[in-house]
Amino acid sequence: MIEAIPPSASEDQATARMNVVRDGVEMSREQSLALAQNYFDEGQVAKVEGLELEFATRKIRQNSEDLADFQRGYESNFAQADWEVRLSGNAPDLRGLSDRPGSADFFRIWGGIDHWHDCPNDEFSFNSSYFSQHKDPLHVISVAHELVNLFNSAAELFEQGYPKQRVSAVLYKGREVTLRKPPLACGLLGRLAVSQRLWNEFMRQALMSGARLPIVLLATEKEDVQQMLRFLALPADWSNYYKLLETLETYAKRNGKPFPKKAAARKAFTNNANNNSKVGIGARHGIQEEGRSNTATPMTIEQAHVYISGVCKLYLNTFYGDYFAFDLPQGIRLAEDPAV
């Protein structure tokens, strides 16, 4: 078999210097490629700035290669690296994540360093490989908000009242983007358009950073995990915690491993959550006539969080055991454990 011989560096340079004709003008191939990239980039910027294509191209000669490259940029998906989403609200947490070895392109965090003064600061940013799946800047920004919301909810699983991250600014190629419409509500973001091998690498890197980013990655494509985080995003009260418990029990039953409903820990939680006499106005039921005396030990909302977060971890251990093996609070066992 005859193998192709790769061109030498001198041959590459000679190819770049070869003259071509672009829109009737003779120029080097290198100049032509630079012009094509420039008009492509201008098309992307025009889209980010909210310009209509007809208006943005009014000064470009019709039926030209310049116009074709501009339009190609205007209609193409964005590059992840061109976006920066600045975060505020909990810099110490982001610093801790940035200092860990794991990261993943679906939620790539950087910052915390003032390079000019060579010292730490509290400025952190992220972008996502999800951004490169969109050609509408509003969709990109909506995805950014959704990922931050999922991240905050995953953190709530481990810390009740977690100081939330907020999107403080969105930049495209270093310039702040002004939204003309509010971010869209997102459903499931769906599986990243990458190979299984690359997805596995994303998960491996995310697991190195702790449990939160892996949960976020699963929540982008798994309805049960997304719903778990949706409820954790709601105010921490008895009604919302009870809804979360019922939701996870429903998914567990659908998935063939129903949670036991006679466990003492569950009874303690539901007995408090249902009764105004125990937890006051936050109970699922209002004031009712006293029947048999309720002997359940009163539970605080903090104790309820320990229980419900334990149920969430139980669910993740049971159905996503390839990634998670959480220690569970006393009284909560794996779903199939008859000791419960």
Side-chain angles (χ1 to χ4, degrees), residues 84-89 122-126 145 148 165-171 176-177:
E84 176 187 355
V85 181
R86 291 186 177 167
L87 298 172
S88 62
D122 289 340
E123 297 175 4
F124 290 87
S125 302
F126 90 100
H145 281 267
V148 172
Q165 309 292 352
R166 300 185 304 275
V167 174
S168 57
V170 178
L171 286 75
E176 187 165 353
V177 179

Side-chain angles (χ1 to χ4, degrees), residues 211-336:
R212 286 177 294 173
L213 288 183
I215 293 172
V216 171
L217 180 56
L218 289 174
T220 62
E221 57 180 279
K222 302 293 186 182
E223 181 188 80
D224 51 353
V225 183
Q226 184 212 42
Q227 288 299 314
M228 177 192 297
L229 298 190
R230 285 276 187 265
F231 280 106
L232 286 170
L234 297 175
D237 62 34
W238 293 95
S239 178
N240 289 331
Y241 282 167
Y242 205 116
K243 291 174 187 174
L244 175 51
L245 172 64
E246 291 179 324
T247 296
L248 292 181
E249 289 177 339
T250 298
Y251 279 116
K253 185 176 181 180
R254 286 181 187 175
N255 293 331
K257 293 183 179 179
F259 286 177
K261 295 189 177 181
K262 295 183 179 179
R266 185 186 189 279
K267 286 182 179 179
F269 169 78
T270 57
N271 211 336
N272 277 268
N274 283 327
N275 286 279
N276 183 281
S277 63
K278 290 292 182 184
V279 298
I281 194 128
R284 290 177 72 234
H285 302 306
I287 297 175
Q288 297 176 323
E289 289 296 333
E290 288 288 345
R292 209 170 33 171
S293 177
N294 189 329
T295 59
T297 302
M299 181 183 286
T300 66
I301 194 66
E302 290 76 20
Q303 291 170 322
H305 178 269
V306 171
Y307 169 74
I308 208 67
S309 63
V311 173
C312 292
K313 293 170 185 175
L314 163 66
Y315 187 92
L316 293 169
N317 282 356
T318 304
F319 297 103
Y320 297 97
D322 288 345
Y323 313 116
F324 307 111
F326 295 112
D327 292 331
L328 301 175
Q330 185 176 4
I332 299 178
R333 303 283 188 273
L334 289 177
E336 62 271 18

Side-chain angles (χ1 to χ4, degrees), residues 43-102:
Q44 297 239 291
V45 169
K47 184 167 50 175
V48 171
E49 291 178 346
L51 302 177
E52 295 293 335
L53 182 60
E54 293 75 11
F55 178 81
T57 58
R58 69 194 189 285
K59 294 182 180 179
I60 303 177
R61 185 158 59 89
Q62 296 299 302
N63 302 317
S64 64
E65 291 183 66
D66 293 347
L67 179 62
D69 289 324
F70 186 100
Q71 186 168 348
R72 187 166 57 89
Y74 193 91
E75 295 173 350
S76 294
N77 288 4
F78 290 107
Q80 173 185 351
D82 290 337
W83 291 91
E84 176 187 355
V85 181
R86 291 186 177 167
L87 298 172
S88 62
N90 195 340
D93 184 39
L94 293 178
R95 186 176 304 284
L97 279 172
S98 298
D99 290 343
R100 293 179 185 177

Side-chain angles (χ1 to χ4, degrees), residues 199-219:
W199 189 95
N200 290 342
E201 178 61 19
F202 284 172
M203 178 58 82
R204 187 186 72 81
Q205 290 287 337
L207 284 165
M208 291 172 64
S209 73
R212 286 177 294 173
L213 288 183
I215 293 172
V216 171
L217 180 56
L218 289 174

